[in-house]
Amino acid sequence: MQKNKTRKDKTVNKKVNPVYEYIQGLYNRSAPLLICEAALLFFAAVLMIFRPIAMLSMMTFVIGVGLILFGLYRTIAGFTVSRAPGGGWIDVIFGLMNIVLGVLFCVYPMDSSVGLVYVFIALLLFKAIKALIFAINMARARIGHYALDLTVAVVLFLLTVLLMFFPIVGAVAMVYLLAVILLMFAASDIYMFIELFHLKNQIKE
């Protein structure tokens, strides 16, 4: 008799336990999303690894579509604001530039991706010059790890020169880097799912 009563009390406690109900609801809502997101990210990463050129073209096309939509929004908003005092012609011009750039990205995806690499090369060159100046100043002052700073600057310069002569290599490398990032996000989703599953079972017990 006492055992039956104890079992009933445990059943009642489980039903009215707000923490368990919250975790159960969170698991029911989040688990399918985490699994689906991890699967999609993993699938996209695999495609990027085995089809980098095709994925690069598709990514450039998607960027172009995004630029066109953003440009249309800014252009329409600029025409709306232009009726007010002061106007919004800067928004109109900026929007039209985005539309033209988006069309170029969609029509010439590979050339546009190479153009993005050259933008990255310019930023990398600027960073290399800064690193070299910093290393020279540290060497003159004889403080800090100036040898390491100089090595970093030289590596950045060499990487810049390499990308200048082989820009498509840089574009493909960016695709591989993005694939690694997607794999990390997929692993993070799987980890969150496992932790949530364990937490649900622990509270249930």
Side-chain angles (χ1 to χ4, degrees):
M1 185 71 178
Q2 184 67 25
K3 290 182 179 180
N4 292 335
K5 185 176 180 181
T6 303
R7 289 177 182 175
K8 290 180 180 179
D9 291 340
K10 289 182 178 179
T11 304
V12 171
N13 289 335
K14 286 183 179 180
K15 289 182 179 179
V16 299
N17 188 350
V19 177
Y20 176 75
E21 290 182 353
Y22 173 76
I23 296 299
Q24 180 68 38
L26 181 62
Y27 176 82
N28 293 335
R29 293 190 304 270
S30 302
L33 294 176
L34 290 173
I35 294 298
C36 292
E37 182 177 299
L40 290 174
L41 292 175
F42 180 79
F43 180 70
V46 170
L47 285 179
M48 289 179 179
I49 293 173
F50 290 99
R51 300 284 185 180
I53 302 298
M55 292 300 295
L56 181 62
S57 298
M58 189 183 73
M59 288 165 53
T60 308
F61 182 81
V62 171
I63 293 174
V65 173
L67 287 172
I68 291 173
L69 294 176
F70 179 72
L72 288 173
Y73 167 76
R74 290 298 297 267
T75 303
I76 295 172
F79 274 117
T80 303
V81 176
S82 64
R83 300 173 183 174
W89 296 111
I90 295 179
D91 288 327
V92 174
I93 296 173
F94 183 72
L96 292 175
M97 290 175 59
N98 276 271
I99 293 173
V100 173
L101 189 62
V103 171
L104 291 176
F105 269 60
C106 292
V107 177
Y108 305 104
M110 288 304 300
D111 294 335
S112 300
S113 61
V114 173
L116 288 177
V117 173
Y118 278 112
V119 173
F120 178 74
I121 289 173
L123 296 175
L124 191 62
L125 180 61
F126 177 73
K127 180 68 177 177
I129 294 173
K130 283 182 59 179
L132 180 61
I133 294 174
F134 180 78
I136 293 173
N137 291 332
M138 291 297 101
R140 287 177 177 175
R142 297 291 178 180
I143 59 174
H145 303 283
Y146 54 87
L148 179 61
D149 297 327
L150 183 60
T151 303
V152 172
V154 171
V155 170
L156 289 176
F157 269 113
L158 292 177
L159 185 59
T160 303
V161 173
L162 178 65
L163 291 176
M164 283 181 180
F165 286 99
F166 304 101
I168 193 65
V169 175
V172 174
M174 287 193 295
V175 175
Y176 282 126
L177 178 61
L178 183 58
V180 172
I181 294 174
L182 291 182
L183 287 175
M184 292 175 61
F185 278 124
S188 176
D189 286 338
I190 296 297
Y191 174 77
M192 291 173 62
F193 168 77
I194 294 173
E195 288 296 313
L196 191 59
F197 180 77
H198 287 166
L199 180 61
K200 180 177 74 73
N201 290 337
Q202 288 176 1
I203 294 178
K204 184 177 180 181
E205 294 174 355

